CSV table of all heavy atoms in Angstrom, one decimal:
chain,number,residue,atom,x,y,z
B,491,CYS,N,158.2,96.5,144.7
B,491,CYS,CA,158.8,97.8,145.3
B,491,CYS,C,160.2,97.9,144.8
B,491,CYS,O,161.0,97.0,145.0
B,491,CYS,CB,158.8,97.7,146.8
B,491,CYS,SG,159.4,99.2,147.5
B,492,HIS,N,160.4,98.9,144.0
B,492,HIS,CA,161.8,99.2,143.5
B,492,HIS,C,162.4,100.4,144.2
B,492,HIS,O,161.8,101.4,144.3
B,492,HIS,CB,161.7,99.5,142.0
B,492,HIS,CG,163.0,99.8,141.4
B,492,HIS,ND1,164.0,98.9,141.2
B,492,HIS,CD2,163.5,101.0,141.0
B,492,HIS,CE1,165.1,99.5,140.7
B,492,HIS,NE2,164.8,100.8,140.6
B,493,VAL,N,163.6,100.1,144.8
B,493,VAL,CA,164.3,101.2,145.5
B,493,VAL,C,165.5,101.6,144.7
B,493,VAL,O,166.1,100.8,144.1
B,493,VAL,CB,164.7,100.9,146.9
B,493,VAL,CG1,163.5,100.6,147.8
B,493,VAL,CG2,165.6,99.7,146.9
B,494,HIS,N,165.8,102.9,144.6
B,494,HIS,CA,167.0,103.3,143.9
B,494,HIS,C,167.8,104.3,144.7
B,494,HIS,O,167.3,105.3,145.3
B,494,HIS,CB,166.5,104.0,142.6
B,494,HIS,CG,167.7,104.5,141.7
B,494,HIS,ND1,168.3,103.6,140.9
B,494,HIS,CD2,168.3,105.7,141.6
B,494,HIS,CE1,169.3,104.3,140.3
B,494,HIS,NE2,169.3,105.5,140.7
B,495,ASP,N,169.1,104.0,144.7
B,495,ASP,CA,170.1,104.9,145.3
B,495,ASP,C,170.9,105.6,144.3
B,495,ASP,O,171.3,105.0,143.3
B,495,ASP,CB,171.0,104.1,146.3
B,495,ASP,CG,171.9,105.0,147.1
B,495,ASP,OD1,173.0,105.4,146.6
B,495,ASP,OD2,171.6,105.2,148.3
B,496,PRO,N,171.2,106.9,144.5
B,496,PRO,CA,172.0,107.6,143.4
B,496,PRO,C,173.4,107.0,143.2
B,496,PRO,O,174.1,107.4,142.2
B,496,PRO,CB,172.1,109.0,143.9
B,496,PRO,CG,171.8,108.9,145.4
B,496,PRO,CD,170.9,107.8,145.6
B,497,SER,N,173.8,106.1,144.1
B,497,SER,CA,175.1,105.5,143.9
B,497,SER,C,175.2,104.7,142.5
B,497,SER,O,176.3,104.5,142.0
B,497,SER,CB,175.5,104.6,145.0
B,497,SER,OG,175.4,105.3,146.2
B,498,TRP,N,174.0,104.3,142.1
B,498,TRP,CA,174.0,103.6,140.7
B,498,TRP,C,174.6,104.5,139.7
B,498,TRP,O,175.4,104.1,138.8
B,498,TRP,CB,172.6,103.2,140.3
B,498,TRP,CG,172.1,102.0,141.0
B,498,TRP,CD1,171.3,101.9,142.1
B,498,TRP,CD2,172.3,100.6,140.5
B,498,TRP,NE1,171.0,100.6,142.3
B,498,TRP,CE2,171.6,99.8,141.4
B,498,TRP,CE3,173.0,100.1,139.4
B,498,TRP,CZ2,171.6,98.4,141.2
B,498,TRP,CZ3,172.9,98.7,139.2
B,498,TRP,CH2,172.3,97.9,140.1
B,499,GLN,N,174.2,105.8,139.7
B,499,GLN,CA,174.8,106.7,138.7
B,499,GLN,C,176.2,107.1,139.0
B,499,GLN,O,177.0,107.3,138.1
B,499,GLN,CB,173.9,108.0,138.7
B,499,GLN,CG,172.8,108.0,137.8
B,499,GLN,CD,171.6,107.3,138.4
B,499,GLN,OE1,171.5,106.9,139.5
B,499,GLN,NE2,170.5,107.1,137.6
B,500,ASN,N,176.5,107.2,140.3
B,500,ASN,CA,177.8,107.8,140.7
B,500,ASN,C,179.0,106.9,140.8
B,500,ASN,O,180.1,107.3,140.7
B,500,ASN,CB,177.6,108.6,142.0
B,500,ASN,CG,176.7,109.9,141.8
B,500,ASN,OD1,176.3,110.1,140.6
B,500,ASN,ND2,176.5,110.6,142.8
B,501,TRP,N,178.7,105.6,141.0
B,501,TRP,CA,179.9,104.6,141.1
B,501,TRP,C,180.7,104.7,139.8
B,501,TRP,O,181.9,104.8,139.9
B,501,TRP,CB,179.4,103.2,141.3
B,501,TRP,CG,179.3,102.8,142.8
B,501,TRP,CD1,178.2,102.5,143.4
B,501,TRP,CD2,180.4,102.7,143.7
B,501,TRP,NE1,178.5,102.2,144.7
B,501,TRP,CE2,179.8,102.3,145.0
B,501,TRP,CE3,181.7,103.0,143.7
B,501,TRP,CZ2,180.6,102.2,146.1
B,501,TRP,CZ3,182.5,102.8,144.8
B,501,TRP,CH2,181.9,102.4,146.0
B,502,PRO,N,180.1,104.7,138.6
B,502,PRO,CA,180.9,104.8,137.4
B,502,PRO,C,181.8,106.1,137.3
B,502,PRO,O,182.8,106.1,136.6
B,502,PRO,CB,179.9,104.7,136.2
B,502,PRO,CG,178.7,104.1,136.8
B,502,PRO,CD,178.7,104.5,138.3
B,503,LEU,N,181.3,107.1,138.0
B,503,LEU,CA,182.1,108.4,138.0
B,503,LEU,C,183.5,108.2,138.6
B,503,LEU,O,184.4,108.8,138.2
B,503,LEU,CB,181.4,109.5,138.8
B,503,LEU,CG,179.9,109.8,138.5
B,503,LEU,CD1,179.4,110.8,139.4
B,503,LEU,CD2,179.8,110.2,137.0
B,504,ILE,N,183.5,107.3,139.6
B,504,ILE,CA,184.8,107.1,140.3
B,504,ILE,C,185.8,106.5,139.3
B,504,ILE,O,187.0,106.8,139.4
B,504,ILE,CB,184.7,106.3,141.6
B,504,ILE,CG1,183.8,107.0,142.6
B,504,ILE,CG2,186.0,106.0,142.2
B,504,ILE,CD1,183.6,106.4,143.9
B,505,GLU,N,185.3,105.6,138.4
B,505,GLU,CA,186.2,105.0,137.5
B,505,GLU,C,186.9,106.1,136.6
B,505,GLU,O,188.0,106.0,136.2
B,505,GLU,CB,185.4,104.0,136.6
B,505,GLU,CG,185.0,102.8,137.3
B,505,GLU,CD,184.2,101.8,136.5
B,505,GLU,OE1,183.7,102.2,135.4
B,505,GLU,OE2,184.1,100.6,136.9
B,506,HIS,N,186.1,107.2,136.4
B,506,HIS,CA,186.7,108.3,135.6
B,506,HIS,C,187.5,109.2,136.4
B,506,HIS,O,188.6,109.6,136.0
B,506,HIS,CB,185.5,109.1,135.0
B,506,HIS,CG,184.8,108.4,133.8
B,506,HIS,ND1,185.1,108.6,132.5
B,506,HIS,CD2,183.9,107.5,133.8
B,506,HIS,CE1,184.4,107.9,131.8
B,506,HIS,NE2,183.6,107.2,132.5
B,507,ALA,N,187.1,109.5,137.6
B,507,ALA,CA,187.8,110.4,138.5
B,507,ALA,C,189.2,109.9,138.9
B,507,ALA,O,190.1,110.7,139.1
B,507,ALA,CB,187.0,110.7,139.7
B,508,VAL,N,189.3,108.6,139.0
B,508,VAL,CA,190.6,108.0,139.5
B,508,VAL,C,191.6,107.9,138.4
B,508,VAL,O,192.8,107.8,138.7
B,508,VAL,CB,190.3,106.7,140.3
B,508,VAL,CG1,190.1,105.6,139.3
B,508,VAL,CG2,191.4,106.4,141.3
B,509,THR,N,191.2,107.8,137.2
B,509,THR,CA,192.1,107.6,136.1
B,509,THR,C,193.2,108.7,136.0
B,509,THR,O,192.9,109.9,136.1
B,509,THR,CB,191.4,107.6,134.7
B,509,THR,OG1,190.4,106.6,134.8
B,509,THR,CG2,192.3,107.3,133.6
Side-chain angles (χ1 to χ4, degrees):
Chain B
C491 182
H492 175 72
V493 295
H494 182 81
D495 186 277
S497 301
W498 278 97
Q499 271 80 7
N500 290 0
W501 270 117
L503 306 178
I504 297 184
E505 293 181 341
H506 287 264
V508 78
T509 303

